Amino acid sequence: MAPDTSSEQLAARMGVELVTLTLDEVVGRMPVAGNRQPYGLLHGGASAVLAETLGSTLSALHAMPERFPVGLELACTHHRSATQGWVTGTARPIHVGRSTSTSEIVIVDDEGRRVCTAKLTCLHRDNRPQVG
């Protein structure tokens, strides 16, 4: 089952684009414009959204359709700011098991400078989460 990418979803509203989808890595990008905090810098929460989107997608590639991943823990370290252009994130697996998976997500700016390093752990549920 493919993820819902309609405009109602947060990643779509923030302009996240998935570029590469493999079991070894998921790459996506997001514009800085529209995702800034009041001082003109990329919002740290926007980096977290990009990281969780990429890490969760990677977990889904490994777990679905038998199991459904949900975020369990996200940790982000913000190294530098971005003020324009795009940021690109690459999620790679650290651990893939039956019940959990952990990914490292590195986000860089257009010059390849590291903006954020994140780690996401997902729980692989037996049942699809209920909506509404």
Side-chain angles (χ1 to χ4, degrees):
M1 166 180 255
D4 181 358
T5 58
S6 69
S7 62
E8 176 186 332
Q9 304 309 315
L10 180 59
R13 287 184 181 205
M14 296 184 74
V16 173
E17 300 174 358
L18 297 178
V19 178
T20 303
L21 298 158
T22 71
L23 292 174
D24 295 323
E25 72 178 19
V26 170
V27 178
R29 64 188 209 134
M30 178 181 68
V32 173
N35 294 312
R36 293 185 181 103
Q37 41 92 310
Y39 304 105
L41 308 175
L42 178 66
H43 196 291
S47 293
V49 168
L50 179 59
E52 184 147 357
T53 299
L54 301 178
S56 293
T57 300
L58 182 61
S59 291
L61 291 173
H62 285 277
M64 290 179 76
E66 293 82 19
R67 299 177 68 93
F68 296 89
V70 294
L72 191 60
E73 181 180 30
L74 175 66
C76 298
T77 300
H78 305 287
H79 305 290
R80 69 180 312 118
S81 60
T83 58
Q84 61 187 357
W86 291 75
V87 289
T88 301
T90 303
R92 292 191 175 97
I94 296 172
H95 163 78
V96 177
R98 177 173 150 31
S99 60
T100 64
S101 58
T102 302
S103 303
E104 179 185 61
I105 305 95
V106 175
I107 300 172
V108 300
D109 64 14
D110 285 334
E111 286 77 44
R113 297 174 298 189
R114 191 177 292 227
V115 172
C116 177
T117 303
K119 185 175 81 169
L120 174 69
T121 299
C122 287
L123 173 67
H124 301 176
R125 294 175 43 141
D126 289 327
N127 299 324
R128 181 182 176 94
Q130 297 300 310
V131 178

